[in-house]
């Protein structure tokens, strides 16, 4: 019998508009649909998920602080905060939980400013350019990592 582990799943600014926002870049699935797929995978893996999407940097940071002792790892798509939020970097560094940085699009092949991630130095892994499936891959690899 495997103990339930809890994983924090964070989405930053504008990701609440997934499905309608630039579907060529971000796909047609809504965040609720993606979260439902993650929830199904989490049940199969025997882990519990805690979700938050926020358009506010401070809300994401508060959630990271609040869950630092209740969660074992973090899957995060920081949205545009990826490219400039040293505050988010510092929060992730401070709690020291293994963290997977997810991007639906391939940020390396887009505008110059999107190629920079200030989150990368504190992320254990990055998955980018795989659309919504990237969240599932992130969850699976994080759980495997926690169990090895
Ligand atoms: C994104 C890429 C970011 O550059 C952008 O600001 C987003 C979404 C992605 O999932 O591809 O909001 O993180």
């Amino acid at each position: 019998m495997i103990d339930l582990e809890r994983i924090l799943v964070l989405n930053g600014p504008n990701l609440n508009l997934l499905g309608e926002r630039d579907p060529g870049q971000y796909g047609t699935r809504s965040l609720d649909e993606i979260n439902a797929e993650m929830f199904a995978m989490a049940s199969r893996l025997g882990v519990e998920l805690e979700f938050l999407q926020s358009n506010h940097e401070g809300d994401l940071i508060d959630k990271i602080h609040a869950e630092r002792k209740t969660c074992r790892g973090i899957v995060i798509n920081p949205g545009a905060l990826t490219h400039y939020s040293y505050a988010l970097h510092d929060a992730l560094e401070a709690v020291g939980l293994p963290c997977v940085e997810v991007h639906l699009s391939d940020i390396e092949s887009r505008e110059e400013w999107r190629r920079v991630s200030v989150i990368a130095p504190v992320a254990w892994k990055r998955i980018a350019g795989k659309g919504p499936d990237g969240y599932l891959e992130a969850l699976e690899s994080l759980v495997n990592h926690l169990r090895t």
Side-chain angles (χ1 to χ4, degrees):
M1 173 81 182
I2 302 163
D3 284 344
L4 268 191
E5 290 147 347
R6 200 169 137 94
I7 307 289
L8 182 58
V9 180
L10 296 175
N11 279 280
N14 302 305
L15 292 162
N16 54 311
L17 296 183
L18 282 182
E20 34 178 304
R21 172 192 180 201
D22 195 352
Q25 201 66 255
Y26 301 119
T28 53
R29 274 184 263 174
S30 69
L31 189 58
D32 282 348
E33 287 168 339
I34 294 170
N35 287 349
E37 288 175 37
M38 290 188 84
F39 186 76
M41 172 176 268
S43 309
R44 290 197 295 277
L45 293 170
V47 297
E48 197 181 304
L49 299 181
E50 172 68 18
F51 294 102
L52 176 72
Q53 185 279 327
S54 178
N55 294 323
H56 307 281
E57 183 183 44
D59 287 350
L60 296 165
I61 292 168
D62 285 344
K63 188 70 172 172
I64 291 166
H65 293 179
E67 300 288 346
R68 71 188 187 280
K69 300 214 167 116
T70 54
C71 287
R72 302 247 349 255
I74 301 174
V75 172
I76 184 168
N77 182 346
L81 295 172
T82 305
H83 314 298
Y84 65 89
S85 179
Y86 294 108
L88 194 54
H89 165 285
D90 283 357
L92 292 168
E93 185 177 53
V95 301
L97 293 169
C99 160
V100 184
E101 176 187 349
V102 175
H103 301 285
L104 294 133
S105 65
D106 178 12
I107 56 172
E108 296 289 341
S109 64
R110 299 184 63 194
E111 301 95 316
E112 194 78 39
W113 60 269
R114 286 190 208 270
R115 297 182 194 162
V116 177
S117 167
V118 302
I119 303 304
V122 290
W124 164 67
K125 185 172 187 160
R126 178 198 287 174
I127 295 170
K130 298 191 174 176
D133 291 347
Y135 286 93
L136 299 176
E137 190 179 325
L139 177 60
E140 192 167 34
S141 61
L142 182 58
V143 171
N144 286 340
H145 173 66
L146 290 169
R147 290 179 177 168
T148 49

